[in-house]
Amino acid sequence: MPSDDEALLSVTGLEVSFRTHEGLRPVVHGVDLRVARGERVAVVGESGSGKSTTAAAVIGLLPGTGTVSGGRVSFAGEDVTHADEKRLQRLRGREIGLIPQDPMSNLNPATRVGHQVAETLLAHRLAGRSAARKRAVELLGEAGIPEPERRYRQYPHELSGGLRQRVLIAIALACEPDLLIADEPTSALDVTVQRGILDHLERLRAERGASLLFVTHDLGLAADRADRVVVMSQGRIVEEGPAARILREPQHEYTKALVAAAPSLASARAAREAAATPDAAPAGSGSEPILVVDDLVRSFRIRGRSERLTAVDHVSFEVRPGTTTAVVGESGSGKTTLARLVLGLDTPDAGEVRVDSEHVATATGARRRAIRRAMQPVFQDPYASLDPMFTVEHLVDEPLRVFKVGDRASRRSRVAELLDHVALPRSVAQRHPTELSGGQRQRVAIARALALEPRLMVCDEAVSALDVLVQDQILTLLGDLQRDLGLTYLFITHDLAVVRLVAHDVVVMQQGTVVESGPVEAVFDAPEAGYTRELLAAIPGAGLVS
Amino acid sequence: MARYLLVRLLQSLVTLVLASMVVFAGVRALPGDPARALAGEDADPAAVAAIRARLGLDDPLPVQYLKFVGNLLHGDLGTSVRTGQPVIDLIKATLPVTLWLSLFAVLIAVVVGIGAGTAAAVWRGRWPEWVANLAALVGLSVPSFWLGILAILYLAVGLHWFPASGYVPLTDDPLRGIYYLVMPAAVLGTALAAVVMRQTRASMIATLTTDYVRTARAKGLPRSKVLTGFALRNSMIVVVTIVGLQLGGLISGAVVTERIFGLPGFGKLTLDSVFTRDYPVIEAVVLVVTVAYIVINLVVDLVYSLINPRIRVGGRTS
């Protein structure tokens, strides 16, 4: 760690608290952090670890009732801990640039994007109106936005997520700040887009000689992009050191768990282990497929355009019982439409989906209900997919009530049994989803899906909204359930690293078509399609482990 | 944009035709016979029949409707059964009064409502919010007829600040016209001001916690600029919708206010015509209100697209 004198940013004993009814509640406890000139430091931790709060405290933008209740923040030798609003205004944007997390929500929807860049220059009186406009166009171009002149005049909703993130980078770099704070700058983006943007950001940062404080939940990404990694947990720094050292020889228990759970790293290890051990015969081989997707087509009309968008374009594959087939692709690849078609929530234009040789789209009455029972979904967002007004018991036994299974007493004991299956204490039955953590909620969603003893579970991004450690637990749970109950999974995900950990077979989708499919080992070790290779290369941190 | 306007106008036309049917049928469903009302309680059946024939009430309903529409298309709204004056003259005389009254009411409501709502959002949890919330609660709860009577009692009779009743056309003497309108307009606009205040406050609070407001501050923009340029502008999207929805209600609400302040407006004409089964006038009144609603909605949609580029017509996501 650089000494206080040479550090550009120096945080000493920082304590941040939130005002509650019971008084001040500290969430960041005595954090010490230094960033030298030109240095790249990553702060890694799960949600709630205090990493973003620490970054927000540096620029005096703590949310809600947050306040710095102890310690010191100094920038370029000047104490700015309790600086007044005027001083902070100069600090923000001019001396410290912030690249926020979500490109969808961080641009003013009512203002042209170019103006949002120019505004920064105008606020700091670095240029007059026309000069600021001209410079903003240049900045958009430098941030890697094609046709910057045209894009300048567009509104945020007219730009893709990747382009919006580039606009945010242009804004952060506009005044050539000495320090860039990047708070999960690409976690809302697809991996290939993420890689392009981070490479570009690194180039711009290096040219300007700026320092970087990189906040992320992804240890692999942190190791890829920073010289030094600081690991935070529950508001404290638990470990710090050079990136490669942290990954290879983590000292603290928490860091060890994090390294073990990070899918990008774990999948790299899985690859080595797979190479070392002879391949066990995959379950269910030779038996009849449980799910057949045959030449499926689904297109949508887009408002204001004549041509239709083909979301699923002649897709075929089979899923063997007791195995996991992953469908992987980036946003817009059609994987969610495919999931809806498989579940019978949407009707295909052509082709068919068969579950146990029954046609999903055309089955009616008892046969349709039988298919519905055999196949249950688990969705991405456990905060949105559980009705907050219901108790956990009510949520889990709902499918039983809908299908009129058992009486009240038998349903109650079944719920208890299901909670055991997903490793939740039986006492949560009478609680509401709002009282549970994200991981617990996803367990409830899985318990609900298990209620009817389905044979096939369709998991649509079922672990994407969860922190790595929780994600690891849920993946383990799914694996255990598969082994104990002989479940089959159709696992829809954007995350190739997760695929390697859980799937037997993989289907890679791009713009509605299947570009490659086959056993996971074959696809990962010898990818044929260029797109698959690109996806694999974009998994962060993989190179550091092997 | 031109295409959008055209489509909207065509849609409005359909609405208008449907409205005219509903109005026509609705008025005829009212209990009471206009011919009998006109002839008097004790008139002999022959006289009533004569009146009925003169008014065309003998014709089958579809024929009556077609005649009604035909006349409408010629700009002929008919003649008042009660006074014998052309309906169009009655409307010309009364509509401007109500329009001015409503316009001032909206103006007062928007200025007061947005001002108070912004203050309440910015000084959240402190006295300006308490005062604004309390005022909004009172404004919504107090019926306008009572508020009107109080205003007359204290501001007009007691303090002599405003005239208790009467109307001066703004075209004759703008200053005196406004002077006469301020009190009734404030009374009429009170409830709307309360709604606007609450909406502004709620959407400002929501906007102030958005990521893009935080990003704006992280750029180093001054607080005042963030408030006006970012928070207020984005909050207005909700407010414009509410004002638009309430505007039509204002015209109907004017009935009571006009009664209290003795304004010779549209509301008075409506009440008088309903009580005397004056079919042609009722039909014309309801049609005018319908047209007003349609125009207001069109204007609101256009304003809406001006402040919210996401729904700007022809705007596309690339």
Side-chain angles (χ1 to χ4, degrees), chain A residues 210-230:
Chain A
S211 310
L212 177 71
L213 185 64
F214 187 67
V215 178
T216 177
H217 68 280
D218 189 333
L219 197 51
L221 201 60
D224 266 359
R225 303 287 169 179
D227 308 314
R228 205 150 52 78
V229 172
V230 174

Side-chain angles (χ1 to χ4, degrees), chain A residues 323-327 491 498-506 519-521:
Chain A
T323 67
T324 300
T325 297
V327 176
F491 200 90
V498 170
V499 172
R500 170 122 242 184
L501 290 178
V502 300
H504 302 97
D505 297 294
V506 60
V520 165
E521 295 77 33

Side-chain angles (χ1 to χ4, degrees), chain B residues 106-157:
Chain B
V106 169
L107 213 67
I108 292 172
V110 165
V111 170
V112 173
I114 291 179
T118 308
V122 172
W123 289 287
R124 207 182 162 192
R126 283 189 279 171
W127 69 266
E129 191 192 16
W130 300 118
V131 171
N133 275 341
L134 191 69
L137 186 67
V138 172
L140 276 175
S141 325
V142 172
S144 67
F145 66 86
W146 191 65
L147 193 66
I149 292 168
L150 281 190
I152 292 174
L153 212 59
Y154 290 102
L155 300 183
V157 179

